[in-house]
Every structure is written in C-alpha cells, then in structure tokens.
C-alpha cells in the first residue's frame, strides 16, 4: 500500500464530520509549526538561561528536555482525546494549556515552576500538533506541515537569540503563543463529537509515559532510567495482552509497517536534534564563528533542507516506500558522518541541512505509512504514537548533544 493512498481517508468516528480536506492547510500549518520554533528557540540561549537562573548549562538544558519530553508524552494523550471527544474539545484545551504554561514561564522566578510551565506549554503544543496532523490526511498536506515545522524550527534559534538580546530569554520561551492565532479559524471548521463508548485506558497511558520518560533519561541517568524503562516495558506488554484495543493498540505493534516506520522516525529524529544543538558548538570550536554568524548560517541550511521536504513529500507516492526510506536513511547517515569529521563551517551547516531534511521527510512520509498500518478508527492513535516516538528524538537530542559536545 502506498504512503499516499494509505492516508487518503484519514478520518475516524471521532472526526467523521471534519474532512481532512475541509480545513485549509495553511491554518493547520500555523497551528502546528510554532511548536518547532518554541522548541528550538533555546538552542543558542542556554548560556543566558543558566546565567540568569544561576545554574549550569547542563541544568539549563533541562528546560529543553522537559519541553520535548512533555511534547512527546502528551501527543498520544491528545490523539486519544481527539478520538473520544472530537477536535473542538481538544483544540480549546490545548489553547488553555499553551496560555497557562506560557504565563508560568513568563512570571515564575524559580526553576521548578519554570519547568512546570515549560511542561504545560509543551502539552498544549502536543495537542496542536495532534490536531493538525490528524486533519492533514495525505502525505502531500503532511509535507506542508512538516516542512513548515522545519522552516520555523530553523528560524527558532536565531529568533530566540534576538528576542533574548532585545527583551529576555523568557520572551524567547513564549514563542508558542503564536499558535493561538489559528485556533478560532480551525474551531469554525470543527464540530463537537459525541462521547465514544468504553473507558479510557489510563493504565496503558501511564505505563507508556513512564516507559518514554525512562528511555529519554537514559543518556543522563543510565542505570535508574534503564531499570524504570525495563519494568514499564514488561508491565505495558502484559497490559496490551489484556487490553489489545487500549491506549497502545496491539494491531499497531503487530504491524511490520508501523514498527519500521517508528524506528526510522526515532533514529532520524534523534540524529537531527542532536546535531541541532551540537553543530553551533562544533562550528564555533572548529571554525571560530561567532554565535550570531552561526545562527544565520544554521538557519539558512535548515530552511533549505525543509523546503526540499515539500517536493519530496509530494513525490513520495510515486517513489514508493522502499526508495523513500532508502533516501531519508542515506541522507541522515551522511549528515551524521559529516558532523563527526568535518572541520569546515560550510560542511557542518550542510550536515544540519541534510539532517533536517531526513527527519522532516521521514516525519511527513512515515507518519502516513504508520497511519495506513491500522484500522481507520485507530488512525489518530497510530499518528499519536508515531509522533511520540519522533518527538522522543527531540528529547534525546539535547541530552546526547550535552553528553557528546556541550558538556
């Protein structure tokens, strides 16, 4: 089954009144893409945040890790909410999370409260992403969202640095507010779905959240994180056997297409987000560039890689699944090799451009492949689980970059 045809009818009982082609794609892109800018805005301001809060750079990186981890854990939760309560409920709840989380980040003086604010912000952003991707419907439209996220993600580091210089780092961490602009327009295209039958699988959701957290914390706390992840994985496997249609559908895990899609997404996402944080330091160390020059160079490279994703996603149906996967994996590997061995700033920037293409290209194409691997009613759940795995790479990246380069 081709990626495009498999996703062409992506709507479910929870969203049956909301055709994926009914909501204009630009509104969906505006809803989802500020999340990437919000996540990447902290790439060049870890030093400013650590100085302001009186902590180390590694400590400040927790503001990034918490955002990415909350984003990953919350996206399947909102996918479940979409399935059970419809888009309108999920949309306005996401907006409330974004507003409250941003307020906490803006006014809190203690690191724990700021971390809570970042987590709440990210949960709202996860809802926006889940809604946008569920309403996208095809690889071509998904490519617009994924490429837009890449472009906004590319602008994020420079925008964060400029906002920090002009206002403060708190302003840089408030970029996610821009997603609220799209909420009223998308709400007009949605309906409130009737409640679905059956209880919410709270135990499955909790076990998956614990497993995800343990895996993300492996680079910083290997032994405790491994123990937590192992126990959670065993308990989750047993739970899935008892409840195969629960929070983690057995049909998805049984599908080779789904498993291979999420594995590709995790590898390429982790590689991209590691390079996102490592390349600025590598360029500064190996080529002596200033922070502002690095920000501009990285932005240009990432925009170029993201724009290419648009054409790639549109052509993916003609290329076929094998060629699509070969392309994104080969380019992702080339990006990693270049980052390890290159001494030239230009080659290092090319590495991040290739990395963003491989990750966003995989996100656009493999998410639709994952959605096509399960029955229609489970497609929002499948997309949510796929995005959890993809965003786990976003949580692992800063930790890996800190361990390997930033120290």
């Amino acid at each position: 089954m081709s990626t495009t045809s498999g996703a062409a009818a992506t709507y479910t009982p929870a969203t049956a009144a909301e055709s994926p082609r009914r909501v204009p794609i630009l509104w969906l892109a505006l809803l989802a893409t500020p999340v990437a800018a919000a996540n990447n805005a902290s790439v060049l301001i870890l030093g400013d945040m650590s100085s302001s809060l009186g902590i180390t750079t590694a400590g400040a990186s927790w503001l990034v890790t918490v955002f990415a981890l909350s984003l990953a854990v919350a996206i399947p939760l909102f996918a479940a909410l979409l399935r059970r309560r419809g888009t309108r409920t999920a949309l306005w709840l996401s907006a409330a999370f974004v507003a409250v989380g941003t307020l906490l980040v803006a006014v809190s003086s203690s690191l724990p409260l700021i971390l809570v604010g970042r987590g709440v912000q990210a949960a709202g952003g996860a809802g926006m992403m889940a809604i946008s991707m569920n309403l996208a419907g095809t690889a071509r439209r998904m490519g617009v969202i994924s490429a837009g996220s890449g472009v906004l993600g590319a602008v994020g580091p420079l925008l964060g640095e400029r906002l920090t210089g002009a206002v403060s780092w708190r302003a840089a961490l408030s970029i996610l507010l821009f997603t609220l602009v799209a909420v009223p327009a998308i709400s007009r295209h949605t309906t409130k779905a009737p409640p679905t039958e059956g209880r919410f699988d709270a135990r499955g959701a909790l076990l998956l959240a614990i497993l995800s957290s343990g895996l993300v914390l492996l680079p910083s706390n290997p032994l405790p994180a491994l123990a937590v992840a192992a126990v959670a994985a065993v308990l989750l496997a047993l739970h899935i056997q008892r409840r195969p249609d629960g929070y983690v559908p057995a049909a998805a895990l049984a599908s080779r297409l789904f498993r291979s899609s999420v594995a590709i997404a995790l590898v390429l996402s982790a590689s991209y987000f590691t390079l996102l944080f490592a390349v600025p330091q590598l360029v500064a160390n190996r080529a002596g560039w200033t922070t502002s020059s690095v920000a501009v160079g990285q932005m240009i490279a990432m925009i170029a890689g993201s724009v290419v994703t648009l054409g790639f996603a549109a052509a993916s149906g003609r290329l076929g699944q094998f060629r699509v996967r070969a392309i994104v994996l080969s380019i992702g590997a080339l990006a990693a090799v270049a980052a390890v061995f290159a001494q030239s700033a230009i080659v290092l920037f090319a590495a991040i451009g290739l990395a963003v293409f491989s990750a966003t290209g995989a996100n656009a194409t493999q998410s639709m492949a994952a959605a096509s691997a399960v029955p229609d009613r489970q497609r929002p759940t499948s997309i949510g689980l796929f995005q959890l795995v993809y965003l786990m790479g976003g949580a692992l990246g800063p930790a890996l970059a800190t361990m390997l380069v930033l120290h």
Side-chain angles (χ1 to χ4, degrees), residues 8-386:
T10 305
Y11 59 89
T12 67
T15 55
E18 301 148 9
S19 167
R21 295 191 180 277
R22 189 176 176 187
V23 182
I25 187 60
L26 292 181
W27 284 121
L28 295 181
L30 180 58
L31 190 72
T33 55
V35 179
N39 190 35
N40 295 356
S42 54
V43 169
L44 299 175
I45 61 172
L46 290 176
D48 295 276
M49 292 190 296
S50 61
S51 299
S52 174
L53 296 170
I55 57 177
T56 64
T57 300
S61 70
W62 276 102
L63 289 167
V64 183
T65 301
V66 165
F67 187 94
L69 179 58
S70 180
L71 198 64
V73 169
I75 200 164
L77 286 170
F78 272 96
L81 183 64
L82 275 167
R83 180 180 171 184
R84 298 176 66 84
R85 293 293 184 267
T87 302
R88 182 172 295 175
T89 299
L91 183 66
W92 288 103
L93 183 61
S94 300
F97 272 52
V98 169
V100 171
T102 302
L103 181 64
L104 279 174
V105 169
V107 304
S108 300
S109 57
S110 68
L111 179 61
L113 279 177
I114 297 172
L115 287 172
V116 170
R118 286 291 277 170
V120 174
Q121 262 188 329
M128 301 306 191
M129 290 182 65
I131 292 163
S132 181
M133 291 171 180
N134 190 57
L135 295 176
T138 67
R140 183 187 297 271
R141 282 163 60 88
M142 190 67 160
V144 174
I145 296 170
S146 194
S149 294
V151 171
L152 265 290
V155 174
L158 183 60
L159 182 59
E161 190 228 0
R162 296 298 163 85
L163 281 173
T164 299
V167 186
S168 76
W169 58 268
R170 295 177 189 271
L173 299 188
S174 301
I175 292 173
L176 190 56
L177 285 175
F178 283 105
T179 190
L180 300 182
V181 174
V183 170
I186 292 177
S187 182
R188 289 195 294 270
H189 288 277
T190 63
T191 59
K192 184 177 180 180
T196 58
E197 297 179 359
R199 294 182 298 107
F200 174 66
D201 183 12
R203 181 177 297 178
L206 177 62
L207 289 172
L208 182 61
I210 294 172
L211 173 60
S212 304
S213 302
L215 293 174
V216 166
L217 295 175
L218 274 174
S220 55
N221 299 278
L223 291 179
L226 182 61
V228 168
V231 172
V234 171
L235 293 176
L236 182 59
L238 293 173
H239 177 73
I240 292 170
Q241 288 182 344
R242 290 192 298 268
R243 192 166 177 180
D245 290 325
Y247 190 72
V248 182
L253 299 183
S255 167
R256 182 181 297 177
L257 178 60
F258 180 87
R259 295 196 306 269
S260 57
S261 296
V262 297
I264 290 169
L266 177 61
V267 170
L268 294 179
S269 173
S271 176
Y272 159 53
F273 282 103
T274 300
L275 294 184
L276 177 68
F277 284 84
V279 163
Q281 189 65 51
L282 292 175
V283 173
N285 292 344
R286 298 175 185 177
W289 284 37
T290 64
T291 300
S292 295
S293 299
V294 168
V296 173
Q298 181 160 291
M299 180 185 71
I300 293 171
M302 290 174 66
I303 289 175
S306 301
V307 169
V308 176
T309 299
L310 277 171
F312 178 70
S316 61
R318 296 190 299 274
L319 291 172
Q321 191 66 248
F322 178 80
R323 288 191 182 93
V324 165
R325 290 181 169 186
I327 289 169
V328 295
L329 287 171
S330 299
I331 291 180
L334 179 61
V337 170
V340 171
F341 294 106
Q343 299 296 317
S344 163
I346 302 302
V347 177
L348 288 168
F349 288 139
I352 191 61
L354 294 173
V356 72
F357 165 76
S358 66
T360 56
N363 190 24
T365 59
Q366 300 311 300
S367 60
M368 294 295 95
S372 71
V374 298
D376 282 358
R377 63 187 177 83
Q378 292 180 334
R379 286 188 176 180
T381 303
S382 173
I383 292 174
L385 292 175
F386 176 91

Side-chain angles (χ1 to χ4, degrees), residues 385-399:
L385 292 175
F386 176 91
Q387 289 301 319
L388 179 148
V389 174
Y390 180 82
L391 293 169
M392 277 177 60
L396 283 166

